[in-house]
Every structure is written in structure tokens, then in C-alpha cells.
Amino acid sequence: MVLHRALFALDAERAHGVGLKLLNLLPSRPANASPRLETALAGMNLPHPIGLAAGFDKNATAVRGFAGLGFAYVEVGTVTPRPQVGNPRPRLFRLETDAAIINRLGFNNDGVATVGKRLRALGSRPVPLGINIGMNKDSREALPDYLTGMNALSSLADYITLNVSSPNTPGLRALQQVDRLRDLLRPVLERRAELARDLARRLPVFLKIAPDLSIDEALAIAELARDLGIDALMISNTTIDRPATLSSPARVETGGLSGKPLMQPSTALLREVRRGIGKSLPLIGIGGIFKAEDVLAKILAGATAVQLYSGLVYEGPGLVRRLVRDLDRLLDERSIGRLAEAIGADA
């Protein structure tokens, strides 16, 4: 708790950097998950459904540290073909009274060559690893950048996520228009099939969408993703919406909002997509998870697994183990034999 308070005394981005450096120094204490929490996701057998969302470890500098916090799987990135510095600082803001974060980082990262070298040096992956890829800000076309990311990083990943929903790269969210998305996904998935022969395994590809889509837009994307062979739809990225309930001074900052205010809208969109798409496409619930009740709400709404980011900032490094323990207790209280039985029960 003392360290947690000390980090909050620093500005948000500096604290984030210090926290990442300290993470690998913490004792490794994997979560002790009950067998009833076992989760199957795109060929990955996970001890529980809780993963780290992309954005926390953009450059894959703390994969072992996050595994040691008890995450069942870890997603790094977003990684772009070429290194880029991102947007000018300040660009990361804590909304402490709202338990939220606003970021306009702009895909700041070391690029595929450096991140790939770092992951190769890591050796065996301590937990299943996802790599989130995107396009450089100054790229004229999106497809070559996503293919570059696939080519450079697929051998190092258990799955690849296509980020077409960050609000901080101009024009990126326009890729969610169904016609443009089809033109992106088809060649990416064709390349995935070619890579599978070299890898001697099938590489799952996930797609991450924004919470600001209408239900019809999200359903159209989900149907396209299912029909083309995307392995999971991630709902959702950060929002550009600003709920009237926000009270922190930083609420006026531009960028993507995450944290507790995202729990309700992202879960509502998740539920509507599950209702519309049925069980034909796995969904991953992201946004606003701070307690086990939030995890279960995402599962009941239709998620197979979940990811978190902001909750870890506010609740500290013991959060995942608490979530796993309390989620098991919730299942017991509700007489749910296995977590998998709860998927979509409220959709």
C-alpha cells in the first residue's frame, strides 16, 4: 500500500513507467484457481478467465511480472511496424474520484523489431501471450502495417489482436466500417493461413472494437468477424464518451476513457452482441472490472473471458488473486458448478 500511494504521488505516465520497472522485482505469486474457473478460449486452456488488456505493457517489458501477478493470459502492445513516440505529453490522466483513466498516448511503442527481439529473449512464455498490433500514425494504408505486424510477431504469440478501435490514431476507427473492415480482414486472415503452415499451428486472430458503436454496427462487425473466421471479438476499447457523472478535473481531457465508467456501457454492448450473434463467436469482455462481481457480470452477459487494465492501477498488484478467489466464492453462492455454464446466461 505504501508503494501504491507513492506511485500515485507521481504523474500518471511516470508512475506507469516506474511500476513496470518494479513489477519484475515483485515475488511471483500465481493465482490459485479452482478447477471450476477453467476457461477454454481459442484453443488456449486457461486456469481462469482473467487476462491483462493491451496498453499496460506496450513494449513487452514485464510479461513475467504480469504472469506472476496471477493473470491467466497477457496481451502486450499495441505494437506498430515502426517505432513511434506517440502524442505529446501530458497524455495520460488519472480521474481518481471516478476510478477512471483518460489516455491519448497514440500508440507509443518500440516497433515490431525491438518488441520481437525482446520476446525472443524472454524464451518460453510463462502464460499464453497475445500481441496487439496496429498501424503507424503516418501510414497511408492500414493493411500493409497489419500484415507487417503479423509477419514479424506471429511466431512469438499465442494469438494476435487487430486493434482498429483506438481513438488516438487519426482515422483508425474508420476501419470499423464493415466494407473497409472486410477489405482488411480478408487478406490478414489469408496471411494467417499461410503462416500456419510455417508455424505448424493455427494462429488465433482476435478483433477489438470500440464501445461507441451502435448495436447495429457492432452486430454487423460481429457477423463479419464470425463469417471470415476471426476467433474472438473483444468488447471493448476505451470510449470517447464522457458520462455526466464524471467529477474529476481531468474529465475535460481528450482521449479514450477507461475504468469504472466503462463497465456499464461496455457490458451492455457485449450483451447485445451475444444476443444477436448467439454462441457462434467467442467474446472477451473488457472495461470497468474492479471486483469479482464485475467479472461475473461480463461472463453472464456473454463473455468467455475478460481483460482488465484500470482496475489494476487503482486496486494494486493483488487484484487478480482477489478476483480469482472471490469469483470462485460467487459461483459457490449461486450454485454454479463451472464458470463455463454461466456464459451468456443473462443475455
Side-chain angles (χ1 to χ4, degrees), residues 197-210:
R197 291 192 289 270
D198 298 331
L199 297 172
R201 62 181 174 93
R202 186 177 184 278
L203 178 70
V205 174
F206 298 172
L207 179 67
K208 190 170 187 177
I209 65 172

Side-chain angles (χ1 to χ4, degrees), residues 293-307:
E293 287 81 0
D294 299 330
V295 177
L296 186 56
K298 300 278 191 189
I299 301 295
L300 292 169
T304 295
V306 302
Q307 292 184 345

Side-chain angles (χ1 to χ4, degrees), residues 12-316:
E13 188 162 357
R14 185 180 177 194
H16 190 94
V18 171
L20 282 175
K21 290 179 180 178
L22 292 174
L23 191 58
N24 285 323
L25 302 177
L26 294 176
S28 178
R29 297 170 55 200
N32 184 21
S34 163
R36 78 169 87 192
L37 300 183
E38 290 176 358
T39 299
L41 176 64
M44 298 180 290
N45 296 315
L46 308 174
H48 61 78
I50 303 166
L52 177 73
F56 212 117
D57 191 7
K58 288 177 175 291
N59 292 310
T61 60
V63 174
R64 291 200 182 279
F66 283 113
L69 294 185
F71 283 102
Y73 64 109
V74 169
E75 186 169 318
V76 300
T78 297
V79 187
T80 56
R82 289 170 283 109
Q84 60 183 31
V85 297
N87 292 321
R89 300 190 187 202
R91 54 193 181 176
L92 185 65
F93 308 90
R94 289 188 297 260
L95 284 65
E96 295 186 28
T97 59
D98 304 298
I101 293 171
I102 290 175
N103 93 81
R104 53 172 180 264
L105 292 163
F107 285 176
N108 55 310
N109 75 102
D110 293 340
V112 297
T114 297
V115 171
K117 182 179 179 180
R118 190 171 291 132
L119 287 172
R120 281 187 287 273
L122 181 67
S124 61
R125 297 187 281 274
V127 292
L129 178 71
I131 304 179
N132 186 300
I133 61 174
M135 63 182 290
N136 281 109
K137 183 177 181 178
D138 59 356
S139 293
R140 293 185 177 182
E141 296 181 40
L143 177 59
D145 280 9
Y146 287 94
L147 291 175
T148 296
M150 288 276 291
N151 291 336
L153 299 172
S154 59
S155 66
L156 303 167
D158 292 285
Y159 69 89
I160 292 287
T161 294
L162 309 177
N163 188 346
V164 296
S165 52
S166 169
N168 300 314
T169 294
L172 188 76
R173 285 193 168 190
L175 295 175
Q176 295 176 113
Q177 297 169 7
V178 168
D179 289 341
R180 293 191 63 183
L181 188 59
R182 183 183 294 108
D183 291 341
L184 175 71
L185 294 184
R186 277 180 170 165
V188 165
L189 293 173
E190 288 171 0
R191 182 57 184 148
R192 186 261 297 274
E194 296 168 353
L195 288 167
R197 291 192 289 270
D198 298 331
L199 297 172
R201 62 181 174 93
R202 186 177 184 278
L203 178 70
V205 174
F206 298 172
L207 179 67
K208 190 170 187 177
I209 65 172
D212 308 304
L213 297 166
S214 70
I215 294 170
D216 288 344
E217 289 170 331
L219 279 173
I221 291 172
E223 290 168 359
L224 175 67
R226 176 199 62 199
D227 294 346
L228 292 182
I230 288 291
D231 294 276
L233 189 66
M234 310 176 87
I235 304 173
S236 65
N237 213 316
T238 58
T239 180
I240 58 174
D241 188 33
R242 294 295 183 268
T245 54
L246 296 179
S247 60
S248 300
R251 67 186 183 278
V252 299
E253 298 291 345
T254 59
L257 174 73
S258 61
K260 283 190 176 180
L262 192 54
M263 176 65 191
Q264 190 280 326
S266 63
T267 307
L269 185 61
L270 170 69
R271 181 179 294 107
E272 291 299 330
V273 171
R274 174 56 70 210
R275 286 173 177 167
I277 203 75
K279 298 179 180 179
S280 59
L281 178 67
L283 306 179
I284 299 174
I286 312 170
I289 293 174
F290 279 65
K291 57 185 186 295
E293 287 81 0
D294 299 330
V295 177
L296 186 56
K298 300 278 191 189
I299 301 295
L300 292 169
T304 295
V306 302
Q307 292 184 345
L308 59 87
Y309 177 147
S310 301
L312 191 62
V313 172
Y314 284 100
E315 298 297 319

